Structures are given as structure tokens and as C-alpha cells.
Amino acid sequence: MKWIVLLCLVESLGSGWAVPLEGLEKFTVDFFPNNSMLLAATLSTNFLVNVPKCLSSSKFSPSKVRIAVAQLPDATASTGVTKTEDIQNLRKTPQATVYFAGEFKSVSCRAGRELVVMDIDNSQYELITVLGFQVGAEFCRETKGPFCNQALKPATFYRVNFFILDDKSEIRGHTDWSPAIQTRSVKNYDSADEMYGGRAGGMIVITILVSVGGFVLVIALIAAVALSNKK
């Protein structure tokens, strides 16, 4: 009987859902860089947090980032989370106050320095820049998938935490919980939070369409910077 219990414990640890937070590697992330009003923009049912530009570890290869959200009674309250199984899934527990809101691929620090993405089409190109993760971007009844990034409550405090997964989708690291951020209080819900409407999945991007002339200007600027660095 003891062997069965031990086997179950090992299995739960391997799955990444019952790991004590103190046993995970700690990563440092600036959730609101330079107190940016844009990235820390707070609306009544959602807000933005910065996403890690790159993740590096000597213990494992970071593959995905899973974001956890905690609803708080006030700005000084802690989340009370000591292990990963304390974080619920809204698909199974709709009323959970600490839950996983979504998941996205991580970028290694080396790839982050070298990666440039452009889509050139019909004499134009799209320059797409990830602006941040929109916490509170979905209505669970209208979406599918393992997690739900549900719309937040107005005038309520929240914290977020990034959990880092390896290439086997096991949780191996996490950040500290972010500073508490409060959503705005609104009276007219029909006119609220139109700024980032229609951005499914949580990721907010900026898309800039530039003509051929603009593209040539960008190339010239890159060449000038490269030449100046050689000097």
C-alpha cells in the first residue's frame, strides 16, 4: 500500500501539477517595465502585463510560459499559493480565484537576440511587435482550449505569475507574483474596455503597415547602425 501511495506522489510531481513552489527554479521578470502607462494600462475587465523577452536556465530548456492569475481582496493580500495544484483550471472550477489563464511559447535568450520576423507582400510589409499579454481577454463560454483567460471584475485587485514549462510540458520554474494591480470601476459596461477589443488569446500586438519607401528607410537605418558599430 505504501508503494502505491509513493508511486502516486511521484506521478503527481512528474505531471507538474503538485510541485511545491519552493522546489521550482525562480525567474525574474519585470511585469510593468519603467512603469509604462501603456503596458500597465488598467481597464475595468482586463489589463496588460509585459511578457518575458527571453528565458535561460542551466537546469532545463524553457519551452512554454503559463500565466497564473490570482484575485485578491485588497492590495496587501497574498495569493496563499504554496504548490502548483493550488492553481485551478476555470474549465473545471469556474469560481476559482487563482487560476491558469493561458499559455504561450517562450523564446530563448539567444533566439531573442537573433529573431527578426517580417512578412513582405504586395510591395508592403507587416512589422509585428508583441506588446504584452492581456489578462482578462475572454469569456469562457465562447472559447475552447485547456485554459480560459476570463474577463476580470471591475474595481478588483489581481496579481499574475509566470510558470515556466520544459519541452515535456512539465512546470520547472516560476516568477514571483507581480505587484497588485486594480481594475477600474465603471458604470457603463457597454462603452467600457473598447481599447483592446477583439484580441483573442490574450496576446496584444502592434501591426504597422509601411510602403516600400518606408521599408527602404528601415534597411538604410539598420545598415547605418551596423557600420557605426564596426567603427
Side-chain angles (χ1 to χ4, degrees), residues 39-72:
L39 285 178
T42 310
L43 304 176
S44 65
T45 60
N46 60 81
F47 61 84
L48 296 182
V49 292
N50 190 29
V51 296
K53 296 299 185 296
C54 65
L55 293 170
S56 179
S57 172
S58 60
K59 301 178 181 179
F60 67 99
S61 297
S63 177
K64 296 179 181 179
V65 178
R66 185 177 297 170
I67 184 169
V69 180
Q71 178 184 325
L72 308 171

PDB file of all heavy atoms in Angstrom, residues 39-72:
ATOM      1  N   LEU A  39       1.875  49.522 -21.082  1.00  0.00           N
ATOM      2  CA  LEU A  39       1.898  48.115 -20.721  1.00  0.00           C
ATOM      3  C   LEU A  39       1.139  47.847 -19.438  1.00  0.00           C
ATOM      4  O   LEU A  39       0.643  46.753 -19.216  1.00  0.00           O
ATOM      5  CB  LEU A  39       3.344  47.636 -20.582  1.00  0.00           C
ATOM      6  CG  LEU A  39       4.077  47.431 -21.909  1.00  0.00           C
ATOM      7  CD1 LEU A  39       5.513  47.009 -21.650  1.00  0.00           C
ATOM      8  CD2 LEU A  39       3.385  46.393 -22.763  1.00  0.00           C
ATOM      9  N   ALA A  40       1.058  48.832 -18.566  1.00  0.00           N
ATOM     10  CA  ALA A  40       0.335  48.644 -17.317  1.00  0.00           C
ATOM     11  C   ALA A  40      -1.073  49.233 -17.407  1.00  0.00           C
ATOM     12  O   ALA A  40      -1.702  49.500 -16.399  1.00  0.00           O
ATOM     13  CB  ALA A  40       1.099  49.284 -16.160  1.00  0.00           C
ATOM     14  N   ALA A  41      -1.532  49.457 -18.642  1.00  0.00           N
ATOM     15  CA  ALA A  41      -2.855  50.044 -18.834  1.00  0.00           C
ATOM     16  C   ALA A  41      -3.907  49.208 -18.112  1.00  0.00           C
ATOM     17  O   ALA A  41      -3.988  47.999 -18.296  1.00  0.00           O
ATOM     18  CB  ALA A  41      -3.185  50.115 -20.321  1.00  0.00           C
ATOM     19  N   THR A  42      -4.676  49.857 -17.283  1.00  0.00           N
ATOM     20  CA  THR A  42      -5.675  49.159 -16.487  1.00  0.00           C
ATOM     21  C   THR A  42      -7.069  49.547 -16.944  1.00  0.00           C
ATOM     22  O   THR A  42      -7.415  50.721 -16.937  1.00  0.00           O
ATOM     23  CB  THR A  42      -5.518  49.508 -14.992  1.00  0.00           C
ATOM     24  OG1 THR A  42      -4.155  49.326 -14.621  1.00  0.00           O
ATOM     25  CG2 THR A  42      -6.396  48.602 -14.144  1.00  0.00           C
ATOM     26  N   LEU A  43      -7.869  48.583 -17.322  1.00  0.00           N
ATOM     27  CA  LEU A  43      -9.248  48.812 -17.712  1.00  0.00           C
ATOM     28  C   LEU A  43     -10.143  48.157 -16.678  1.00  0.00           C
ATOM     29  O   LEU A  43      -9.685  47.710 -15.635  1.00  0.00           O
ATOM     30  CB  LEU A  43      -9.483  48.261 -19.116  1.00  0.00           C
ATOM     31  CG  LEU A  43      -8.540  48.838 -20.188  1.00  0.00           C
ATOM     32  CD1 LEU A  43      -8.782  48.162 -21.525  1.00  0.00           C
ATOM     33  CD2 LEU A  43      -8.699  50.335 -20.319  1.00  0.00           C
ATOM     34  N   SER A  44     -11.420  48.104 -16.941  1.00  0.00           N
ATOM     35  CA  SER A  44     -12.347  47.586 -15.930  1.00  0.00           C
ATOM     36  C   SER A  44     -12.393  46.067 -15.895  1.00  0.00           C
ATOM     37  O   SER A  44     -12.661  45.475 -14.852  1.00  0.00           O
ATOM     38  CB  SER A  44     -13.754  48.135 -16.177  1.00  0.00           C
ATOM     39  OG  SER A  44     -14.263  47.658 -17.408  1.00  0.00           O
ATOM     40  N   THR A  45     -12.136  45.409 -17.023  1.00  0.00           N
ATOM     41  CA  THR A  45     -12.229  43.951 -17.066  1.00  0.00           C
ATOM     42  C   THR A  45     -10.946  43.293 -17.557  1.00  0.00           C
ATOM     43  O   THR A  45     -10.921  42.080 -17.770  1.00  0.00           O
ATOM     44  CB  THR A  45     -13.391  43.500 -17.975  1.00  0.00           C
ATOM     45  OG1 THR A  45     -13.177  43.993 -19.304  1.00  0.00           O
ATOM     46  CG2 THR A  45     -14.717  44.009 -17.445  1.00  0.00           C
ATOM     47  N   ASN A  46      -9.883  44.062 -17.764  1.00  0.00           N
ATOM     48  CA  ASN A  46      -8.610  43.485 -18.212  1.00  0.00           C
ATOM     49  C   ASN A  46      -7.471  44.461 -17.988  1.00  0.00           C
ATOM     50  O   ASN A  46      -7.688  45.639 -17.743  1.00  0.00           O
ATOM     51  CB  ASN A  46      -8.683  43.070 -19.693  1.00  0.00           C
ATOM     52  CG  ASN A  46      -8.992  44.241 -20.604  1.00  0.00           C
ATOM     53  OD1 ASN A  46      -8.116  45.017 -20.966  1.00  0.00           O
ATOM     54  ND2 ASN A  46     -10.268  44.366 -20.985  1.00  0.00           N
ATOM     55  N   PHE A  47      -6.237  43.950 -18.069  1.00  0.00           N
ATOM     56  CA  PHE A  47      -5.053  44.806 -18.024  1.00  0.00           C
ATOM     57  C   PHE A  47      -3.911  44.091 -18.738  1.00  0.00           C
ATOM     58  O   PHE A  47      -3.995  42.894 -19.039  1.00  0.00           O
ATOM     59  CB  PHE A  47      -4.665  45.166 -16.586  1.00  0.00           C
ATOM     60  CG  PHE A  47      -4.321  43.994 -15.705  1.00  0.00           C
ATOM     61  CD1 PHE A  47      -3.049  43.442 -15.694  1.00  0.00           C
ATOM     62  CD2 PHE A  47      -5.289  43.438 -14.874  1.00  0.00           C
ATOM     63  CE1 PHE A  47      -2.744  42.360 -14.883  1.00  0.00           C
ATOM     64  CE2 PHE A  47      -4.985  42.350 -14.051  1.00  0.00           C
ATOM     65  CZ  PHE A  47      -3.712  41.810 -14.059  1.00  0.00           C
ATOM     66  N   LEU A  48      -2.833  44.822 -19.031  1.00  0.00           N
ATOM     67  CA  LEU A  48      -1.702  44.257 -19.748  1.00  0.00           C
ATOM     68  C   LEU A  48      -0.511  44.047 -18.843  1.00  0.00           C
ATOM     69  O   LEU A  48      -0.248  44.857 -17.959  1.00  0.00           O
ATOM     70  CB  LEU A  48      -1.278  45.193 -20.889  1.00  0.00           C
ATOM     71  CG  LEU A  48      -2.273  45.430 -22.019  1.00  0.00           C
ATOM     72  CD1 LEU A  48      -1.643  46.343 -23.062  1.00  0.00           C
ATOM     73  CD2 LEU A  48      -2.718  44.133 -22.649  1.00  0.00           C
ATOM     74  N   VAL A  49       0.205  42.961 -19.081  1.00  0.00           N
ATOM     75  CA  VAL A  49       1.487  42.735 -18.414  1.00  0.00           C
ATOM     76  C   VAL A  49       2.535  42.467 -19.487  1.00  0.00           C
ATOM     77  O   VAL A  49       2.217  41.959 -20.567  1.00  0.00           O
ATOM     78  CB  VAL A  49       1.436  41.549 -17.428  1.00  0.00           C
ATOM     79  CG1 VAL A  49       0.563  41.877 -16.248  1.00  0.00           C
ATOM     80  CG2 VAL A  49       0.966  40.273 -18.115  1.00  0.00           C
ATOM     81  N   ASN A  50       3.765  42.819 -19.185  1.00  0.00           N
ATOM     82  CA  ASN A  50       4.863  42.540 -20.085  1.00  0.00           C
ATOM     83  C   ASN A  50       5.083  41.030 -20.163  1.00  0.00           C
ATOM     84  O   ASN A  50       4.767  40.296 -19.232  1.00  0.00           O
ATOM     85  CB  ASN A  50       6.128  43.245 -19.576  1.00  0.00           C
ATOM     86  CG  ASN A  50       7.247  43.191 -20.592  1.00  0.00           C
ATOM     87  OD1 ASN A  50       7.013  43.137 -21.789  1.00  0.00           O
ATOM     88  ND2 ASN A  50       8.476  43.201 -20.114  1.00  0.00           N
ATOM     89  N   VAL A  51       5.643  40.561 -21.285  1.00  0.00           N
ATOM     90  CA  VAL A  51       5.966  39.136 -21.425  1.00  0.00           C
ATOM     91  C   VAL A  51       7.481  38.988 -21.464  1.00  0.00           C
ATOM     92  O   VAL A  51       8.187  39.891 -21.918  1.00  0.00           O
ATOM     93  CB  VAL A  51       5.335  38.533 -22.703  1.00  0.00           C
ATOM     94  CG1 VAL A  51       3.837  38.572 -22.626  1.00  0.00           C
ATOM     95  CG2 VAL A  51       5.824  39.251 -23.943  1.00  0.00           C
ATOM     96  N   PRO A  52       8.024  37.865 -20.979  1.00  0.00           N
ATOM     97  CA  PRO A  52       9.480  37.675 -20.975  1.00  0.00           C
ATOM     98  C   PRO A  52      10.048  37.711 -22.393  1.00  0.00           C
ATOM     99  O   PRO A  52       9.565  37.019 -23.278  1.00  0.00           O
ATOM    100  CB  PRO A  52       9.653  36.296 -20.349  1.00  0.00           C
ATOM    101  CG  PRO A  52       8.376  36.031 -19.619  1.00  0.00           C
ATOM    102  CD  PRO A  52       7.314  36.732 -20.383  1.00  0.00           C
ATOM    103  N   LYS A  53      11.071  38.541 -22.589  1.00  0.00           N
ATOM    104  CA  LYS A  53      11.707  38.619 -23.912  1.00  0.00           C
ATOM    105  C   LYS A  53      12.542  37.370 -24.179  1.00  0.00           C
ATOM    106  O   LYS A  53      12.706  36.955 -25.316  1.00  0.00           O
ATOM    107  CB  LYS A  53      12.586  39.867 -23.988  1.00  0.00           C
ATOM    108  CG  LYS A  53      11.813  41.162 -23.881  1.00  0.00           C
ATOM    109  CD  LYS A  53      10.807  41.312 -25.008  1.00  0.00           C
ATOM    110  CE  LYS A  53      10.114  42.656 -24.970  1.00  0.00           C
ATOM    111  NZ  LYS A  53       9.286  42.847 -23.746  1.00  0.00           N
ATOM    112  N   CYS A  54      13.124  36.795 -23.142  1.00  0.00           N
ATOM    113  CA  CYS A  54      13.874  35.553 -23.288  1.00  0.00           C
ATOM    114  C   CYS A  54      14.003  34.892 -21.917  1.00  0.00           C
ATOM    115  O   CYS A  54      13.943  35.565 -20.890  1.00  0.00           O
ATOM    116  CB  CYS A  54      15.254  35.802 -23.893  1.00  0.00           C
ATOM    117  SG  CYS A  54      16.364  36.777 -22.852  1.00  0.00           S
ATOM    118  N   LEU A  55      14.169  33.576 -21.931  1.00  0.00           N
ATOM    119  CA  LEU A  55      14.311  32.804 -20.704  1.00  0.00           C
ATOM    120  C   LEU A  55      15.490  31.853 -20.856  1.00  0.00           C
ATOM    121  O   LEU A  55      15.612  31.164 -21.867  1.00  0.00           O
ATOM    122  CB  LEU A  55      13.034  32.007 -20.416  1.00  0.00           C
ATOM    123  CG  LEU A  55      11.791  32.829 -20.074  1.00  0.00           C
ATOM    124  CD1 LEU A  55      10.560  31.926 -20.054  1.00  0.00           C
ATOM    125  CD2 LEU A  55      11.948  33.511 -18.721  1.00  0.00           C
ATOM    126  N   SER A  56      16.357  31.834 -19.867  1.00  0.00           N
ATOM    127  CA  SER A  56      17.533  30.983 -19.916  1.00  0.00           C
ATOM    128  C   SER A  56      17.696  30.246 -18.592  1.00  0.00           C
ATOM    129  O   SER A  56      17.530  30.828 -17.524  1.00  0.00           O
ATOM    130  CB  SER A  56      18.784  31.814 -20.199  1.00  0.00           C
ATOM    131  OG  SER A  56      19.937  31.009 -20.230  1.00  0.00           O
ATOM    132  N   SER A  57      18.017  28.954 -18.663  1.00  0.00           N
ATOM    133  CA  SER A  57      18.212  28.147 -17.469  1.00  0.00           C
ATOM    134  C   SER A  57      19.292  27.107 -17.725  1.00  0.00           C
ATOM    135  O   SER A  57      19.399  26.564 -18.829  1.00  0.00           O
ATOM    136  CB  SER A  57      16.911  27.446 -17.071  1.00  0.00           C
ATOM    137  OG  SER A  57      17.134  26.516 -16.029  1.00  0.00           O
ATOM    138  N   SER A  58      20.107  26.837 -16.708  1.00  0.00           N
ATOM    139  CA  SER A  58      21.134  25.800 -16.816  1.00  0.00           C
ATOM    140  C   SER A  58      20.582  24.427 -16.453  1.00  0.00           C
ATOM    141  O   SER A  58      21.249  23.410 -16.646  1.00  0.00           O
ATOM    142  CB  SER A  58      22.313  26.138 -15.899  1.00  0.00           C
ATOM    143  OG  SER A  58      21.879  26.219 -14.541  1.00  0.00           O
ATOM    144  N   LYS A  59      19.354  24.385 -15.925  1.00  0.00           N
ATOM    145  CA  LYS A  59      18.759  23.140 -15.459  1.00  0.00           C
ATOM    146  C   LYS A  59      17.836  22.494 -16.481  1.00  0.00           C
ATOM    147  O   LYS A  59      17.639  21.278 -16.470  1.00  0.00           O
ATOM    148  CB  LYS A  59      17.991  23.384 -14.167  1.00  0.00           C
ATOM    149  CG  LYS A  59      18.849  23.933 -13.030  1.00  0.00           C
ATOM    150  CD  LYS A  59      18.018  24.189 -11.794  1.00  0.00           C
ATOM    151  CE  LYS A  59      18.873  24.752 -10.659  1.00  0.00           C
ATOM    152  NZ  LYS A  59      18.065  25.034  -9.444  1.00  0.00           N
ATOM    153  N   PHE A  60      17.233  23.296 -17.353  1.00  0.00           N
ATOM    154  CA  PHE A  60      16.321  22.758 -18.352  1.00  0.00           C
ATOM    155  C   PHE A  60      16.168  23.763 -19.483  1.00  0.00           C
ATOM    156  O   PHE A  60      16.638  24.896 -19.396  1.00  0.00           O
ATOM    157  CB  PHE A  60      14.952  22.437 -17.735  1.00  0.00           C
ATOM    158  CG  PHE A  60      14.182  23.645 -17.286  1.00  0.00           C
ATOM    159  CD1 PHE A  60      13.171  24.182 -18.084  1.00  0.00           C
ATOM    160  CD2 PHE A  60      14.444  24.254 -16.066  1.00  0.00           C
ATOM    161  CE1 PHE A  60      12.458  25.297 -17.674  1.00  0.00           C
ATOM    162  CE2 PHE A  60      13.736  25.363 -15.649  1.00  0.00           C
ATOM    163  CZ  PHE A  60      12.733  25.884 -16.453  1.00  0.00           C
ATOM    164  N   SER A  61      15.501  23.336 -20.545  1.00  0.00           N
ATOM    165  CA  SER A  61      15.258  24.211 -21.692  1.00  0.00           C
ATOM    166  C   SER A  61      13.836  24.758 -21.620  1.00  0.00           C
ATOM    167  O   SER A  61      12.870  24.022 -21.839  1.00  0.00           O
ATOM    168  CB  SER A  61      15.445  23.440 -23.003  1.00  0.00           C
ATOM    169  OG  SER A  61      16.770  22.989 -23.134  1.00  0.00           O
ATOM    170  N   PRO A  62      13.667  26.044 -21.282  1.00  0.00           N
ATOM    171  CA  PRO A  62      12.319  26.631 -21.216  1.00  0.00           C
ATOM    172  C   PRO A  62      11.628  26.525 -22.570  1.00  0.00           C
ATOM    173  O   PRO A  62      12.202  26.867 -23.600  1.00  0.00           O
ATOM    174  CB  PRO A  62      12.595  28.088 -20.831  1.00  0.00           C
ATOM    175  CG  PRO A  62      13.940  28.057 -20.167  1.00  0.00           C
ATOM    176  CD  PRO A  62      14.706  27.001 -20.897  1.00  0.00           C
ATOM    177  N   SER A  63      10.405  26.031 -22.560  1.00  0.00           N
ATOM    178  CA  SER A  63       9.667  25.836 -23.803  1.00  0.00           C
ATOM    179  C   SER A  63       8.389  26.664 -23.867  1.00  0.00           C
ATOM    180  O   SER A  63       8.074  27.235 -24.906  1.00  0.00           O
ATOM    181  CB  SER A  63       9.317  24.357 -23.976  1.00  0.00           C
ATOM    182  OG  SER A  63       8.545  24.144 -25.126  1.00  0.00           O
ATOM    183  N   LYS A  64       7.658  26.719 -22.738  1.00  0.00           N
ATOM    184  CA  LYS A  64       6.395  27.458 -22.716  1.00  0.00           C
ATOM    185  C   LYS A  64       6.277  28.271 -21.430  1.00  0.00           C
ATOM    186  O   LYS A  64       6.930  27.967 -20.437  1.00  0.00           O
ATOM    187  CB  LYS A  64       5.202  26.503 -22.825  1.00  0.00           C
ATOM    188  CG  LYS A  64       5.120  25.742 -24.136  1.00  0.00           C
ATOM    189  CD  LYS A  64       3.914  24.810 -24.143  1.00  0.00           C
ATOM    190  CE  LYS A  64       3.824  24.029 -25.433  1.00  0.00           C
ATOM    191  NZ  LYS A  64       2.662  23.092 -25.434  1.00  0.00           N
ATOM    192  N   VAL A  65       5.452  29.275 -21.490  1.00  0.00           N
ATOM    193  CA  VAL A  65       5.143  30.095 -20.321  1.00  0.00           C
ATOM    194  C   VAL A  65       3.648  29.995 -20.065  1.00  0.00           C
ATOM    195  O   VAL A  65       2.840  30.232 -20.964  1.00  0.00           O
ATOM    196  CB  VAL A  65       5.533  31.566 -20.539  1.00  0.00           C
ATOM    197  CG1 VAL A  65       5.145  32.405 -19.325  1.00  0.00           C
ATOM    198  CG2 VAL A  65       7.025  31.688 -20.807  1.00  0.00           C
ATOM    199  N   ARG A  66       3.283  29.610 -18.862  1.00  0.00           N
ATOM    200  CA  ARG A  66       1.873  29.512 -18.473  1.00  0.00           C
ATOM    201  C   ARG A  66       1.594  30.602 -17.439  1.00  0.00           C
ATOM    202  O   ARG A  66       2.273  30.685 -16.417  1.00  0.00           O
ATOM    203  CB  ARG A  66       1.573  28.131 -17.899  1.00  0.00           C
ATOM    204  CG  ARG A  66       0.095  27.886 -17.585  1.00  0.00           C
ATOM    205  CD  ARG A  66      -0.111  26.460 -17.088  1.00  0.00           C
ATOM    206  NE  ARG A  66       0.229  25.483 -18.110  1.00  0.00           N
ATOM    207  CZ  ARG A  66       0.336  24.174 -17.892  1.00  0.00           C
ATOM    208  NH1 ARG A  66       0.150  23.695 -16.673  1.00  0.00           N
ATOM    209  NH2 ARG A  66       0.630  23.354 -18.878  1.00  0.00           N
ATOM    210  N   ILE A  67       0.611  31.425 -17.690  1.00  0.00           N
ATOM    211  CA  ILE A  67       0.347  32.566 -16.816  1.00  0.00           C
ATOM    212  C   ILE A  67      -0.759  32.243 -15.818  1.00  0.00           C
ATOM    213  O   ILE A  67      -1.812  31.715 -16.184  1.00  0.00           O
ATOM    214  CB  ILE A  67      -0.009  33.829 -17.640  1.00  0.00           C
ATOM    215  CG1 ILE A  67      -0.196  35.034 -16.719  1.00  0.00           C
ATOM    216  CG2 ILE A  67      -1.226  33.595 -18.516  1.00  0.00           C
ATOM    217  CD1 ILE A  67      -0.294  36.346 -17.455  1.00  0.00           C
ATOM    218  N   ALA A  68      -0.481  32.524 -14.551  1.00  0.00           N
ATOM    219  CA  ALA A  68      -1.451  32.313 -13.476  1.00  0.00           C
ATOM    220  C   ALA A  68      -1.972  33.669 -13.001  1.00  0.00           C
ATOM    221  O   ALA A  68      -1.221  34.647 -12.946  1.00  0.00           O
ATOM    222  CB  ALA A  68      -0.821  31.564 -12.315  1.00  0.00           C
ATOM    223  N   VAL A  69      -3.238  33.715 -12.658  1.00  0.00           N
ATOM    224  CA  VAL A  69      -3.893  34.946 -12.195  1.00  0.00           C
ATOM    225  C   VAL A  69      -4.513  34.690 -10.834  1.00  0.00           C
ATOM    226  O   VAL A  69      -5.147  33.653 -10.628  1.00  0.00           O
ATOM    227  CB  VAL A  69      -4.977  35.407 -13.191  1.00  0.00           C
ATOM    228  CG1 VAL A  69      -5.658  36.676 -12.708  1.00  0.00           C
ATOM    229  CG2 VAL A  69      -4.379  35.616 -14.573  1.00  0.00           C
ATOM    230  N   ALA A  70      -4.331  35.621  -9.910  1.00  0.00           N
ATOM    231  CA  ALA A  70      -4.906  35.490  -8.570  1.00  0.00           C
ATOM    232  C   ALA A  70      -5.741  36.724  -8.246  1.00  0.00           C
ATOM    233  O   ALA A  70      -5.266  37.850  -8.361  1.00  0.00           O
ATOM    234  CB  ALA A  70      -3.802  35.320  -7.528  1.00  0.00           C
ATOM    235  N   GLN A  71      -6.981  36.504  -7.885  1.00  0.00           N
ATOM    236  CA  GLN A  71      -7.861  37.593  -7.434  1.00  0.00           C
ATOM    237  C   GLN A  71      -7.656  37.809  -5.945  1.00  0.00           C
ATOM    238  O   GLN A  71      -7.620  36.858  -5.166  1.00  0.00           O
ATOM    239  CB  GLN A  71      -9.319  37.234  -7.729  1.00  0.00           C
ATOM    240  CG  GLN A  71     -10.318  38.276  -7.264  1.00  0.00           C
ATOM    241  CD  GLN A  71     -11.748  37.832  -7.491  1.00  0.00           C
ATOM    242  OE1 GLN A  71     -12.045  37.152  -8.480  1.00  0.00           O
ATOM    243  NE2 GLN A  71     -12.641  38.182  -6.586  1.00  0.00           N
ATOM    244  N   LEU A  72      -7.540  39.073  -5.520  1.00  0.00           N
ATOM    245  CA  LEU A  72      -7.221  39.392  -4.135  1.00  0.00           C
ATOM    246  C   LEU A  72      -8.300  40.263  -3.495  1.00  0.00           C
ATOM    247  O   LEU A  72      -8.949  41.055  -4.187  1.00  0.00           O
ATOM    248  CB  LEU A  72      -5.883  40.136  -4.068  1.00  0.00           C
ATOM    249  CG  LEU A  72      -4.690  39.490  -4.778  1.00  0.00           C
ATOM    250  CD1 LEU A  72      -3.525  40.446  -4.810  1.00  0.00           C
ATOM    251  CD2 LEU A  72      -4.315  38.195  -4.102  1.00  0.00           C
TER     252      LEU A  72
END
